[in-house]
Amino acid sequence: MAALGGVEGAGTLASLSEKSPALEEFSSGRAKKRRHFRWWRLIVMVLAGIYFLGPLYAGIKFSLEDIQGGFSLRAIESIPSSPGFSAAFALSMRITIVTVVVSALLMIPTAIYVHLRVPRMRRVLDFVTVLPIVIPPIVLIVGVLDASPLWVKSSPYLLSFMYVILAMPFVYRSLDAGLGAVDLKTLTEASRSLGGNWIKTLWRVVLPNLRPALMSALVLTLALALGEFTMASLDLWTTIPVWIYQFQNASNGHVQIAAAMVGLVGAIVLVTIIVSLDRSRSGRRKMSTK
Amino acid sequence: MTQMKETPVTSTLTQNAASGGASVSLENLVRTYGKVRALDGLTLKIEPGEFMALLGPSGCGKTTALRVLAGFEQLDSGRVVVGGEDLSNVSAQKRDMGMVFQSYSLFPNLNVLNNVAFGLRMRKQSASKRRAKAGELLEMVGLSDQAGKYPHQMSGGQQQRVALARALAIEPRVLLLDEPLSALDAIVRAELRDQIRSLQQRLAITTVFVTHDQEEVLSMADRVCVMSRGHIEQVATPSELYARPVTAFVAQFVGISSRVPVDASGREVVIFGQRCPVRSGEGSSLSGPVDALLRPEDIAIAVDPEGKGFVTRKSFLGAVTRLVVQVGEISVRVDVRSDVGSEIELGTHVRPSIVARDVLIAPRKVDVLSDPATAS
C-alpha cells in the first residue's frame, strides 16, 4: 500500500508541477482578478487621499507662501504677535479645560450609574445623547442666549456648558462602549467585598479599566471645544476659530490660513501625545509581566 | 495546570484558623422582586468553620441568599447575624466577607500580586506587608511563579485560584463562593474542587458555597441546604441527603429517583408485592394513592423468566450498570454491579424487590422526572 501510494503520489505531484492548461487558466484568472482588485484599491485610495489631503495641502502651501508666491515662514511667525491672537488662544484653552472637566464630572458618573443601577435607562440615554447632533448648534445657542440672565450670558464659560452638550453624544458613546466591554457589576462587587468604598472602587478599579474609552472621550471633547465656531461667534466670544475668521477680514489671508494649519497640526500633535502616553503606559504594564 | 502546593499555612492565616471562623445565622430572610419572592422566610444556621452548600435549581433563591449575606442585596425583612453581630444594615465593604464570583472577577488592570493585595490596600496595610501576605497566599494556591502576570494571560482555573487567594487575603469572617467552578472545564473543575475543600479545611474558615451541581455539593460540603422557590427543603449532610431525602423535591433533585404509584395505609406501602415501612418526612402521614420515590440502589433484581419486569434499557456507568426495568405500566431504574449487568440482555425478564429499609412517599403526580426516558 505504501509503495503504491508513493508511486501514485509522485505521479500526481509531477503532473501538478507541469501545470495543466486548466490550472494555468485558473491561475491566470486569479492573477488577473488580483490585479484588477489592486487597481480599484489604488484608485479609491488616491481619490480618498485627494479628498482628505488636498485641502490640507492647499492650506499648508498657501500659509507658506508670501504675496509674490514664493516660500516664506512669515505668516506662521507672525501668528503670535497678531492682534488678538494671545487673548483668543488663552480663552480657547480656558473654555476647553472647563469643558473637559465638566464633561468628565457629568458623564462618567452618569454612565457608570446607568450601567450599574438602571441599565434599562440606557435606551433613553442613547436617545437623549443623540439630540445634540440632531438639533443644530445655532438653535441651541440662540435659545440659551435668549433665556439666560445677563450674568450667565456675560461669562465665557457658558460656552463650556454648551460644548458639554455638543460633546455628549461622543463622550457618552465612548464611555458606553467602554463600560460594555468590562463586567462592571462583578468588578465593583469584588472591590466592595474586599473593603473598597465607592470612591476607591471608582478610582482603582473602574476608571483604570475605562482608560481607552476615557482617552477617546477626551480627544473628541478637546477637538470639539477647540474647533467650535458657531456658538462662540453668536455668543460674541473671540475663541481661536472666531479669531481666525475675524482676522481673515483684517489681513491678507495668509496669517489666517497659517493659524488654522498650526491649530490643526497642534491638535494632531496633542492627540498623538495623549494616545502614545496611554500606549506607553499599557506597554510598560505588559512588559513588567515578562 | 500548576498543582497547588501543600505548603504550611503560616502566620496570621493559621491564627485565624485557630479561631474556627464565624458562625452565620440567617433569620427569616424575605426578599421580593416585584411579585416574585426570591427568599421566602429563609432561616439557616451555619456553624463556625463549617462548609455549607446552598443547592437548588435556577431561581430557587440560593444566589440571592448569598448576595444578601455579602451585603449586595437589601432585605425586605429578616436578619443576617455573623459571629453574633447583626450585619443586616452594614454595607458590603464593611462585612469582612471574601467572595469568589462565578464570572472571572480579577481586576484586569492589576497583575496577580496586586489583585491579591487589593483588599489589604483597602485596609491601608503597608506595601511590604501587602507584598508578603499576597506572596504567601499565592504560594498557598500554587501560583507564586505567576505573580507578575495579568488576568488575561492566565487560564480560567488559574484566575479562579487567584480570586480565591484574593478573597482569603483579607482573612474574611466568612468565605462566599458563588458557583466559582461553573465556567471551568470538567478536569480543572474537579481539581479546583478538591483544592478549595482542602484549603477550607486547613483554614477552618466558615464557607458558604452556592451551586446547582449536586456532584460538587456531595463531594465538598459538610452540610447541604437544598432550596426551592425561596425556602429550604432540607438541610443535611451529603450522605443523609442522598440516602434519606425528606421531600419529593430533594429526592428527585439530589440523585435519581423513580416514582412508583402505590397505595399507602397505616404508614406502610406495598411495592412489587412487598410491604415496606414509610420513611418519616414530608408525606409520611399520607394515605391512599401516593407515589413511592425509589433510588436505583433501593431496588434489587433477580433474573427470573417468570418475573413481572423486563429490562428495556441499559447504561454502563463504570462500576455499576443502570438498568431501566418495565414492571406493568411503570418503569424504574435499578443499579447492578457491572459484571452482573453485562450478562443481562435487553428484554430479560427479572423479578424486582425492595432492599431499602423504608421508602419516601409523596402525593401522587405525573412528573417528567419520574420517567426514566426523559430523566438524566
Side-chain angles (χ1 to χ4, degrees):
Chain A
M1 276 301 279
L4 184 64
V7 171
E8 276 187 354
T12 312
L13 283 173
S15 64
L16 270 176
S17 64
E18 278 167 14
K19 275 197 176 178
S20 66
L23 187 66
E24 243 170 51
E25 197 182 324
F26 176 72
S27 314
S28 70
R30 279 191 68 176
K32 270 183 198 165
K33 217 173 187 177
R34 218 169 23 238
R35 270 202 301 277
H36 193 61
F37 176 67
R38 261 212 309 254
W39 273 112
W40 267 111
R41 203 159 59 174
L42 195 66
I43 289 167
V44 169
M45 277 175 67
V46 168
L47 286 175
I50 292 170
Y51 183 77
F52 286 111
L53 298 177
L56 201 61
Y57 166 75
I60 291 170
K61 185 172 174 290
F62 187 68
S63 63
L64 294 175
E65 276 177 357
D66 56 20
I67 299 171
Q68 283 77 37
F71 175 80
S72 168
L73 288 173
R74 229 179 64 196
I76 293 175
E77 283 167 359
S78 63
I79 294 171
S81 57
S82 299
F85 174 80
S86 304
F89 182 78
L91 180 64
S92 270
M93 286 298 120
R94 289 206 314 268
I95 290 173
T96 302
I97 290 167
V98 173
T99 305
V100 167
V101 171
V102 173
S103 187
L105 288 178
L106 184 72
M107 296 310 293
I108 294 171
T110 306
I112 292 171
Y113 183 82
V114 167
H115 267 259
L116 269 181
R117 292 294 169 92
V118 275
R120 64 181 183 281
M121 286 293 288
R122 281 175 67 186
R123 279 186 179 179
V124 178
L125 266 183
D126 275 346
F127 173 73
V128 169
T129 54
V130 167
L131 291 178
I133 295 178
V134 181
I135 302 168
I138 195 162
V139 175
L140 277 175
I141 191 69
V142 167
V144 169
L145 288 175
D146 190 48
S148 303
L150 186 63
W151 65 271
V152 172
K153 267 192 273 197
S154 61
S155 166
Y157 300 112
L158 173 66
L159 285 177
S160 293
F161 287 90
M162 299 309 295
Y163 293 169
V164 168
I165 294 171
L166 287 187
M168 199 161 65
F170 313 112
V171 175
Y172 178 73
R173 262 154 193 75
S174 294
L175 293 175
D176 188 54
L179 288 165
V182 293
D183 187 350
L184 191 65
K185 186 166 176 274
T186 305
L187 292 182
T188 52
E189 286 182 353
S191 169
R192 289 176 61 211
S193 75
L194 293 165
N197 59 27
W198 276 111
I199 292 171
K200 282 179 182 168
T201 299
L202 196 69
W203 189 248
R204 300 221 173 264
V205 176
V206 179
L207 293 184
N209 287 303
L210 277 185
R211 211 168 58 226
L214 291 173
M215 282 297 146
S216 157
L218 172 68
V219 166
L220 290 168
T221 310
L222 277 177
L224 187 140
L226 285 172
E228 204 284 329
F229 173 80
T230 313
M231 288 186 167
S233 168
L234 285 171
D235 199 15
L236 304 177
W237 288 104
T238 309
T239 55
I240 288 286
V242 176
W243 176 81
I244 288 172
Y245 174 73
Q246 287 173 348
F247 200 65
Q248 178 193 21
N249 301 329
S251 73
N252 56 25
H254 285 273
V255 178
Q256 167 240 350
I257 296 295
M261 289 303 115
V262 169
L264 181 68
V265 172
I268 292 170
V269 169
L270 188 66
V271 169
T272 310
I273 289 171
I274 291 171
V275 172
S276 48
L277 274 178
D278 184 48
R279 280 202 182 145
S280 70
R281 209 174 148 179
S282 317
R284 273 206 305 279
R285 206 180 71 185
K286 277 176 189 159
M287 290 286 284
S288 71
T289 65
K290 288 178 183 170
Chain B
M1 182 190 234
T2 319
Q3 292 294 313
M4 184 187 285
K5 293 170 191 168
E6 287 292 324
T7 49
V9 183
T10 54
S11 69
T12 47
L13 287 170
T14 325
Q15 290 160 20
N16 198 39
S19 69
S23 64
V24 175
S25 178
L26 306 178
E27 298 173 8
N28 204 22
L29 305 185
V30 176
R31 176 72 169 111
T32 54
Y33 298 102
K35 288 178 182 170
V36 180
R37 285 175 84 85
L39 295 177
D40 191 6
L42 181 96
T43 296
L44 178 66
K45 281 193 191 309
I46 304 169
E47 299 301 322
E50 188 177 25
F51 193 120
M52 173 68 79
L54 304 184
L55 176 70
S58 297
C60 71
K62 57 189 189 297
T63 298
T64 307
L66 192 82
R67 291 176 59 78
V68 162
L69 182 54
F72 297 138
E73 294 283 345
Q74 291 296 310
L75 279 171
D76 296 335
S77 65
R79 287 202 323 154
V80 174
V81 180
V82 176
E85 185 188 349
D86 185 353
L87 298 183
S88 310
N89 296 314
V90 175
S91 64
Q93 65 261 30
K94 291 180 182 164
R95 289 197 181 193
D96 273 338
M97 307 243 179
M99 186 151 173
V100 182
F101 296 82
Q102 180 179 8
S103 52
Y104 304 135
S105 62
L106 297 185
F107 305 128
N109 56 312
L110 301 178
N111 66 19
V112 164
L113 191 77
N114 288 333
N115 257 287
V116 177
F118 185 87
L120 306 173
R121 186 172 193 149
M122 295 299 107
R123 282 162 175 70
K124 296 190 170 67
Q125 290 200 6
S126 68
S128 58
K129 271 188 183 173
R130 293 201 303 259
R131 265 198 304 276
K133 183 76 174 285
E136 185 187 319
L137 277 149
L138 283 175
E139 200 177 337
M140 199 158 69
V141 296
L143 290 173
S144 49
D145 56 335
Q146 314 278 318
K149 282 193 174 175
Y150 280 83
H152 71 273
Q153 297 169 312
M154 308 183 85
S155 69
Q158 286 175 323
Q159 288 193 46
Q160 289 303 65
R161 283 154 70 192
V162 175
L164 182 64
R166 183 179 69 176
L168 291 171
I170 60 169
E171 294 174 22
R173 290 197 276 189
V174 183
L175 178 64
L176 308 176
L177 306 172
D178 183 9
E179 304 197 41
L181 310 176
S182 62
L184 306 176
D185 64 57
I187 295 171
V188 179
R189 188 188 303 190
E191 193 181 348
L192 193 51
R193 189 169 67 196
D194 295 341
Q195 292 173 349
I196 289 174
R197 177 57 168 155
S198 147
L199 209 54
Q200 186 271 336
Q201 286 178 323
R202 286 161 67 197
L203 298 175
I205 184 168
T206 310
T207 302
V208 184
F209 178 58
V210 161
T211 184
H212 59 264
D213 185 332
Q214 50 175 291
E215 195 188 331
E216 279 174 11
V217 159
L218 298 179
S219 65
M220 292 172 84
D222 291 320
R223 281 195 304 156
V224 183
C225 169
V226 182
M227 292 179 65
S228 164
R229 287 174 296 179
H231 69 268
I232 293 174
E233 290 279 337
Q234 185 175 359
V235 181
T237 61
S239 57
E240 194 183 343
L241 198 70
Y242 184 81
R244 304 187 69 75
V246 295
T247 69
F249 177 85
V250 175
Q252 294 197 274
F253 189 75
V254 180
I256 289 172
S257 291
S258 303
R259 286 185 94 110
V260 178
V262 289
D263 283 317
S265 64
R267 291 188 175 257
E268 269 191 346
V269 289
V270 177
I271 312 173
F272 307 137
Q274 189 180 339
R275 279 185 184 284
C276 301
V278 170
R279 184 182 308 161
S280 298
E282 181 186 48
S284 57
S285 57
L286 292 171
S287 62
V290 294
D291 282 342
L293 295 150
L294 301 172
R295 296 276 191 217
E297 59 274 20
D298 289 343
I299 307 167
I301 53 165
V303 175
D304 181 355
E306 302 295 315
K308 286 180 183 171
F310 61 94
V311 178
T312 59
R313 200 163 0 130
K314 223 169 96 167
S315 312
F316 176 69
L317 301 177
V320 296
T321 294
R322 182 156 297 161
L323 307 175
V324 176
V325 177
Q326 187 78 33
V327 187
E329 290 192 347
I330 60 160
S331 52
V332 291
R333 278 158 290 198
V334 183
D335 284 351
V336 295
R337 280 201 342 253
S338 282
D339 56 335
V340 177
S342 65
E343 291 173 3
I344 299 176
E345 301 296 328
L346 294 183
T348 303
H349 277 263
V350 293
R351 180 164 36 82
S353 60
I354 302 298
V355 288
R357 59 184 161 137
D358 53 20
V359 295
L360 180 72
I361 61 169
R364 185 172 293 180
K365 70 169 183 180
V366 179
D367 190 328
V368 286
L369 280 174
S370 66
D371 179 3
T374 55
S376 57

